[in-house]
């Protein structure tokens, strides 16, 4: 009887740790990604209308502002995330792998948007893991078509500035199908 009680208590503690400790929850989600779950759906169905890009701006820690309209002609990968968000942390290694593959490609731009706007905390997270992805925050209001507030949210714009991918929730972006999708977008003419 005592072993059963101890076993039940340990099980409850394990469940509570998984539910309430973000790094542990992120680790569990990463494991599920590795076995093939959380694949991003690259089918261009039911995508929101593309908003006016000239009104959408982000800024980096040095105050430099990026206007999405100025990035037409490039494939733009945008990820909205936060350091306290377990699904965000779970997908970050796969985004980093994707970034490493395209970091020297002038036709692909990555914008990692810290939803909290806490540059020191976000940069510390990136530095601890040796991620070299650029961190930004909001410099303008965002249309609901682009970001509804759920984290993580990932959006990819094609070279013409059209939304080509919009996913809410964690996904494995180092998946070969997603890499092929980005390469396909790169090949499209402006």
């Amino acid at each position: 009887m005592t072993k059963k009680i101890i076993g039940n208590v340990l099980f409850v503690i394990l469940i509570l740790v998984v539910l309430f400790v973000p790094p542990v929850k992120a680790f569990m989600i990463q494991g599920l990604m590795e076995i093939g779950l959380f694949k991003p759906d690259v089918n261009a169905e039911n995508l929101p209308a593309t908003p006016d890009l000239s009104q959408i701006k982000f800024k980096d820690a040095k105050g430099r502002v990026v206007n999405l309209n100025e990035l037409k002609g490039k494939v733009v990968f945008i990820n909205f995330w936060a350091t306290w968000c377990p699904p965000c942390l779970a997908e970050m290694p796969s985004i980093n792998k994707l970034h490493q593959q395209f970091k020297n490609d002038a036709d692909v731009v990555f914008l990692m948007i810290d939803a909290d706007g806490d540059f020191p905390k976000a940069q510390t997270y990136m530095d601890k893991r040796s991620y070299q992805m650029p961190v930004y925050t909001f410099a303008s209001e965002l249309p609901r078509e682009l970001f509804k507030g759920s984290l993580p949210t990932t959006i990819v714009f094609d070279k013409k500035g059209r939304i080509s991918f919009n996913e809410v929730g964690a996904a494995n972006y180092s998946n070969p199908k997603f890499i092929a999708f980005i390469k396909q977008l790169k090949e499209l003419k402006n």
Side-chain angles (χ1 to χ4, degrees), residues 43-175:
N43 295 325
E45 297 174 10
N46 301 320
L47 291 173
T50 301
D52 177 7
L53 299 182
S54 66
Q55 302 301 313
I56 303 170
K57 299 174 185 170
F58 303 105
K59 67 179 175 179
D60 67 11
K62 295 180 180 170
R64 291 181 293 228
V65 175
V66 172
N67 183 313
L68 276 187
N69 203 45
E70 295 167 0
L71 296 176
K72 280 187 180 174
K74 299 177 184 302
V75 174
V76 181
F77 178 98
I78 300 176
N79 180 266
F80 298 94
W81 68 287
T83 57
W84 51 262
C85 167
C88 301
L89 304 182
E91 72 180 3
M92 203 61 72
S94 74
I95 295 172
N96 187 58
K97 285 180 188 173
L98 181 69
H99 177 260
Q100 290 300 313
Q101 183 156 352
F102 292 102
K103 73 178 181 179
N104 295 321
D105 190 327
D107 288 332
V108 181
V109 175
F110 285 78
L111 301 173
M112 302 299 295
I113 312 301
D114 174 33
D116 290 333
D118 187 344
F119 285 116
K121 188 174 183 181
Q123 197 59 55
T124 297
Y125 173 82
M126 292 290 191
D127 293 344
K128 267 186 177 178
R129 285 147 188 88
S130 300
Y131 297 159
Q132 298 171 1
M133 298 175 288
V135 177
Y136 293 83
T137 192
F138 307 102
S140 68
E141 292 292 319
L142 293 182
R144 298 265 312 147
E145 302 92 2
L146 196 61
F147 181 60
K148 293 182 174 113
S150 296
L151 295 176
T153 294
T154 302
I155 299 169
V156 177
F157 288 91
D158 68 13
K159 289 179 161 186
K160 292 182 179 180
R162 299 175 300 198
I163 295 175
S164 297
F165 177 82
N166 185 341
E167 177 120 341
V168 175
N172 179 357
Y173 292 106
S174 61
N175 176 301

